[in-house]
Amino acid sequence: MRARTLNIVTLREDPADAEIVSHKLLTRAGYLHKSGAGLYLYGHFLKRVVDKISRIVAEEIAGAGGVEVTMPIMQERSLWERSGRWAGFQATRTMLTVTDRGGQEFGLSPTAEEVVTDYASNQITSYKQLPVCYFQQHTKFRDEIRPRFGLMRVKEFIMMDAYSFHGSEQSLDDTYQAMRQAYTTAFRRCGLEAFAVEADTGAIGGSSSHEFMIAADVGEDAILFHPDSGYAANVERAECAIPAAPAWSAPAAGTALPTPGAKTIDEVVTYLQANGYPDLTSANTLKAVLLVAETVDGDRTVAAFVRGDREVNEIKLSNAVSQRVGEVLQLRAMDEAAVRAATGCAPGFAGPGLNADVVVFDAVLDAEALVVAGANQDDTHAAVSIAAHLADAVQADITLAVAGDVAPAGSGELVERRGIEAGHIFKLGTKYSAAMGAEFTGEDGKRHPLTMGCYGIGTSRLAAAAVEQHNDKNGIVWPMSIAPYQVVVVPTRADDENLMGVAQQLYTELKAQGIEVILDDRDAKPGVKFKDWDLIGIPVKVVAGRGVADGNLEIKTRQGEGGDVAISDAVTHVVGLVRDAMAALRG
RNA sequence: CGGGGUGUAGCUCAGCUUGGCUAGAGCGCUGCGUUCGGGACGCAGAGGUCGAAGGUUCGAAUCCUUUCACCCCGACCA
């Protein structure tokens, strides 16, 4: 491709609305044009990067048994009602909808379990056809509450989504592991350092899932690791062991403790330490978190109790509450009136015995130990044990794990890293097939629901993640496998027929060798061209300049390695650089 | 949706507090000339409904009201 035809426009300054390096560089280098909030036009270079990532991902998914198809983006409401998810996606307003002239509503695909399960129920009739895995690379829509970070979080994006169907849990396990391996290989081929972590299943559901994270400080997800045992989990999911609370000189059970004006744990502890209980710590208190759970059947009040020195993990809590009242669409804080209705007192003095539809105690709490908890009476706490309140309560792990906690699988502390969620794999079981009647006839001659798995990779997000991992002060440094072009040939002067002739011939020969090459035929100063190609991040640069008189070209990688090479050896040399880099990424 | 902020040239921004001449700068763009290996220089130019609507005023980018858009912090997720 000739640079003049590409109409290359680069910016010297960072765009005002960009926060993270990938957004800045992709915009400055002309890959990305903002069309609206969370809506981007992909320039020619970005289109090529995304296509390359798509191709690598497709090859690996196909290698794991995937069959590529294309599903509709507009999906009928009735299909989503069959799985029961229409209400949930509307309540959380995750799905964008459109209405046709007849008044029929459609969801714009945020994911495609319904469509593919409907397809599978039509296609699959016998166990002899199983397993099968359909996948696609298509645009997805999500009504993001807050799009941000350039390509990272947008309303419209490109995703690889795969769905597998099985006759047994064992078969699902096999495919799940094959997908996990395919993901690992695909990310490596894209030049990305990724790792798998245990994750919450969220709106997709199912029994278990892993997320694939790209390590990056700007990542929106916190991951807790235990290097020795290999434990790694999203903080939303992470379990932890909490050391027992230290003993304190508690009064008799049931003793009321006046705590005038002390509403927060800190205030209560500080007040009581100064008023007769010097060895009290926040670990000896009980924190009440009052929430309202929205379900398809209406709101339910929730009281969650964790140790006073810890925070509630709302994802874990939501899952625990779902066990009792059905799927929780959303948790929100109780307003003051609701708190008064539940406790009979002002906010800040809630404790066991209050009136809520669902009461959850963290599993780590010692039921017999005396703790300081709200007495459901203004300006009063009490020394209580939760044992008497467990009867109708849920006991579950609802504590937010933090770095420094003891890892669940033994000794040692959890450490925190941040990551960008690039992919997710789920074991769905029969959630969708049972709801939608997708069944097959087994070897036993009976009808069984299909067992399912699903798998997603944020293809366009990967492009941004790659820039986060591969850049320097001069711009992007693409891995060879996903660079928009592999090589650029830069004649230092457009008006020098000799230089242009040498550059032109090299360009033609490299193209003939199957190399993706750009000829920079722009009439610009050499410095301008060099800056542009560094910013854009083309892996190999060949300069036809002052060395040509001596029969040399300068060949350098984007990392700055290389030097003069005889013109006669240039094609072989460049082809070698490209092939070696590609081979290294294949591993 | 709650909290904070910003809308002025293609891009990055000044001007607004305290209303006043033809609304400015840098980058980018056009022409000419000199340059030509890491974002050159000189000269001459083009480019703006100051987000939108309404109001106050002799006079509004500036003050008031309404509204829209975008960005940041929180809840959603590939």
Side-chain angles (χ1 to χ4, degrees), chain A residues 433-481:
Chain A
S433 52
M436 298 180 67
E439 301 179 330
F440 68 101
T441 304
E443 214 168 346
D444 57 5
K446 294 179 180 154
R447 303 277 287 167
H448 302 277
L450 289 157
T451 296
M452 291 175 58
C454 76
Y455 319 88
I457 290 180
T459 311
S460 47
R461 179 182 280 181
L462 275 188
V467 176
E468 291 293 331
Q469 279 196 350
H470 301 287
N471 67 80
D472 65 16
K473 64 178 168 44
N474 293 316
I476 300 169
V477 186
W478 290 112
M480 185 65 79
S481 55

Side-chain angles (χ1 to χ4, degrees), chain A residues 115-316:
Chain A
V115 164
V116 76
T117 302
D118 174 61
Y119 178 54
S121 72
N122 176 275
Q123 296 287 297
I124 300 169
T125 50
S126 162
Y127 74 93
K128 294 174 186 170
Q129 293 170 279
L130 297 174
V132 64
C133 177
Y134 298 112
F135 78 100
Q136 66 171 344
Q137 314 241 16
H138 216 187
T139 302
K140 294 287 178 293
F141 295 85
R142 294 203 182 152
D143 192 358
E144 287 290 340
I145 299 164
R146 186 150 82 83
R148 67 186 125 172
F149 295 154
L151 261 193
M152 282 298 175
R153 176 168 302 286
V154 290
K155 287 183 170 168
E156 179 179 331
F157 58 97
I158 297 173
M159 183 169 98
M160 185 294 298
D161 46 327
Y163 307 86
S164 66
F165 298 88
H166 310 271
S168 68
E169 278 290 326
Q170 179 57 51
S171 171
L172 171 59
D173 281 349
D174 293 344
T175 296
Y176 192 82
Q177 292 309 324
M179 282 293 179
R180 190 171 167 158
Q181 186 55 51
Y183 273 41
T184 302
T185 308
F187 290 132
R188 190 187 66 233
R189 286 182 59 191
C190 290
L192 291 165
E193 185 199 332
F195 48 89
V197 307
E198 290 182 16
D200 183 70
T201 57
I204 305 292
S207 59
S208 72
S209 78
H210 286 83
E211 288 169 333
F212 281 78
M213 293 289 178
I214 308 281
D217 292 340
V218 299
E220 296 186 81
D221 288 275
I223 297 118
L224 292 170
F225 286 91
H226 182 233
D228 294 345
S229 66
Y231 181 80
N234 192 308
V235 69
E236 294 175 347
R237 158 92 183 183
E239 298 166 10
C240 59
I242 301 175
W248 66 295
S249 313
T255 305
L257 304 166
T259 50
K263 297 183 174 186
T264 67
I265 296 289
D266 282 350
E267 288 166 358
V268 169
V269 170
T270 304
Y271 180 86
L272 290 176
Q273 280 175 346
N275 290 276
Y277 303 97
D279 59 354
L280 178 72
T281 67
S282 58
N284 305 117
T285 68
L286 192 63
K287 178 182 290 183
V289 178
L290 303 182
L291 300 161
V292 175
E294 299 171 16
T295 76
V296 285
D297 300 321
D299 289 352
R300 299 282 184 275
T301 55
V302 175
F305 293 97
V306 294
R307 219 169 72 181
D309 58 338
R310 305 304 302 239
E311 299 294 329
V312 169
N313 178 329
E314 288 198 9
I315 305 273
K316 287 185 188 174

Side-chain angles (χ1 to χ4, degrees), chain A residues 11-31:
Chain A
L11 300 174
R12 237 183 243 245
E13 286 168 291
D14 289 333
D17 57 4
E19 290 276 309
I20 64 172
V21 68
S22 63
H23 189 190
K24 291 175 181 173
L25 290 177
L26 287 170
T27 303
R28 281 185 55 205
Y31 286 79

